Amino acid sequence: MNQQLIAPQYSKPEDVVLHFGAMQAQEYRMMRWAVEMRTKRPSEKAFTKAFNEGKIVRLHLLRGTWQLVSAEDYWWMLDLCAPKAKQVINGWMSSNKITIPDSELHEIRKILVETADQKGSVTKEDFEKALSAKGIKMDDHRLSYHIRFSELEGVLCSGELLPMKATYALSEKKIPRTEPIERDCALARLATKYFQSHSPATLEDFVWWSGLNVADCKNAFELIDNHLYCDSYKGKTFFLHENSRTRGFHKGEYLLIPPYDEYLIGYKSRDIVLDPDFKHYAHNNSGIFQPVIAYDGRICGNWSPFEKELNISFFMQEHGNEDTAVAINKYLNFKNK
């Protein structure tokens, strides 16, 4: 219910993203469905409009991975989360034996800014051409790091939505500046958004999702502790926000869930909804997530969103294709609206 997968409360895609604070957006094409399936009337055109208008922003943020955030949350979340995200990226660079000196960082960023300023919305290929025009040859991996650092400095954010390729734009030109907030206030706000949208969840889940230090997460948890209540299930302590919805669950409903969706990736422990014996159907140990099907909250099958027939299949034998018509029609209608 709090994930907005059943009886969604919101009509606009930007309100869904605002509710979550941040939503995983690893799969460029499927992030649209991840948001819109949580609206009252899913529409790919509605997501595109909100994205192009800068109401929804895509960038590398939590855990150094792709996220969608609301324009309203963009600046304060960047202030709070960017320092840890930079540490993560520096760790990746170190493991790959890549070093980027400050002089290079500043030189390349200047070119990236000039290119985005001239074109408004640019692809990585546009950046490559601009660098090449200045006699700079750079492999794709290294350029990706430069782009990520520019995102975390609040210089670049997502540009217009293309069918397949990510684009970039200047943040200052696309997202209105908001007043900075104190760190404790930001921590409390992030924790509130997490537990409102992910309840029931554990403290460990919040640590995983946010990518922040454990000390920061414990501080955030204590700041909102009087708004949480706890419950135990299977030997674990779960917390629910006081604004969480706990009634009105719809039984007998199938959901076609995209890869990298918050329903799974938003938690460190997923065994409550995914039998450990079947977890390889949903994700591997390298962090690659697959499109899955849920029934009454439990993950029970897979589907192929880019295949004409969607290739519905189940790894739990008690489920059958005849029950999925409503879910299939919901997805197909989303693609046509």
Side-chain angles (χ1 to χ4, degrees), residues 75-319:
W75 291 108
W76 72 262
M77 284 191 66
L78 202 60
D79 288 341
L80 177 65
C81 301
K84 186 59 189 296
K86 289 177 186 176
Q87 291 179 14
V88 171
I89 293 173
N90 280 323
W92 292 343
M93 289 172 54
S94 179
S95 64
N96 290 315
K97 294 180 171 49
I98 296 176
T99 302
I100 300 178
D102 288 344
S103 56
E104 179 186 326
L105 202 64
H106 295 148
E107 178 188 9
I108 301 304
R109 183 167 301 162
K110 183 179 178 181
I111 298 171
L112 300 185
V113 169
E114 289 174 350
T115 306
D117 191 32
Q118 291 170 4
K119 293 180 174 291
S121 185
V122 299
T123 63
K124 185 183 284 189
E125 288 76 15
D126 291 323
F127 285 141
E128 290 172 348
K129 290 177 182 177
L131 292 170
S132 180
K134 294 183 179 292
I136 300 173
K137 291 185 178 180
M138 184 175 294
D139 65 71
D140 184 75
H141 203 189
R142 194 176 188 87
L143 177 56
S144 292
Y145 285 128
H146 277 286
I147 293 173
R148 291 189 188 197
F149 282 125
S150 292
E151 288 175 323
L152 294 172
E153 287 293 339
V155 174
L156 293 178
C157 68
S158 51
E160 291 194 358
L161 192 70
L162 297 182
M164 300 288 287
K165 292 182 179 181
T167 67
Y168 303 89
L170 293 180
S171 301
E172 291 282 2
K173 289 194 171 184
K174 191 163 186 178
I175 310 169
R177 276 274 182 184
T178 53
E179 289 295 322
I181 60 178
E182 294 183 354
R183 183 172 178 79
D184 277 359
C185 181
L187 285 169
R189 187 179 294 183
L190 188 69
T192 297
K193 284 179 176 289
Y194 178 76
F195 283 101
Q196 281 183 344
S197 59
H198 290 76
S199 289
T202 67
L203 175 58
E204 291 76 16
D205 290 330
F206 176 58
V207 173
W208 152 255
W209 176 84
S210 70
L212 297 174
N213 296 327
V214 173
D216 280 336
C217 291
K218 287 183 176 179
N219 184 25
F221 186 84
E222 291 172 0
L223 288 167
I224 67 165
D225 184 50
N226 60 328
H227 298 289
L228 301 173
Y229 61 94
C230 65
D231 197 2
S232 295
Y233 183 71
K234 292 187 175 181
K236 294 181 181 180
T237 300
F238 290 86
F239 296 91
L240 293 91
H241 194 273
E242 62 185 4
N243 294 336
S244 298
R245 294 191 294 168
T246 57
R247 296 182 180 180
F249 181 74
H250 291 195
K251 289 188 176 182
E253 185 168 342
Y254 282 98
L255 296 168
L256 302 185
I257 298 177
Y260 303 99
D261 190 81
E262 286 296 316
Y263 192 65
L264 285 181
I265 207 168
Y267 307 88
K268 182 178 181 180
S269 178
R270 304 169 185 122
D271 59 299
I272 300 300
V273 299
L274 176 62
D275 190 314
D277 290 339
F278 297 124
K279 69 177 184 179
H280 58 283
Y281 286 100
H283 62 86
N284 63 21
N285 293 331
S286 299
I288 305 300
F289 281 71
Q290 303 299 326
V292 294
I293 302 171
Y295 179 79
D296 284 350
R298 298 281 297 174
I299 304 301
C300 61
N302 294 100
W303 65 298
S304 302
F306 306 122
E307 299 293 333
K308 185 177 180 180
E309 302 299 326
L310 300 187
N311 291 349
I312 302 293
S313 64
F314 294 95
F315 47 78
M316 297 182 70
Q317 299 304 315
E318 61 266 33
H319 298 282

Side-chain angles (χ1 to χ4, degrees), residues 50-63:
F51 193 90
N52 288 346
E53 290 176 354
K55 294 176 182 176
I56 297 173
V57 186
R58 184 177 186 247
L59 76 159
H60 290 89
L61 190 58
L62 306 186
R63 307 182 303 278

Side-chain angles (χ1 to χ4, degrees), residues 1-2 4 6-11 19 38-40 245:
M1 296 290 287
N2 299 303
Q4 302 296 316
I6 300 294
Q9 297 170 290
Y10 303 108
S11 299
H19 169 71
R38 292 171 163 90
T39 63
K40 293 179 180 180
R245 294 191 294 168

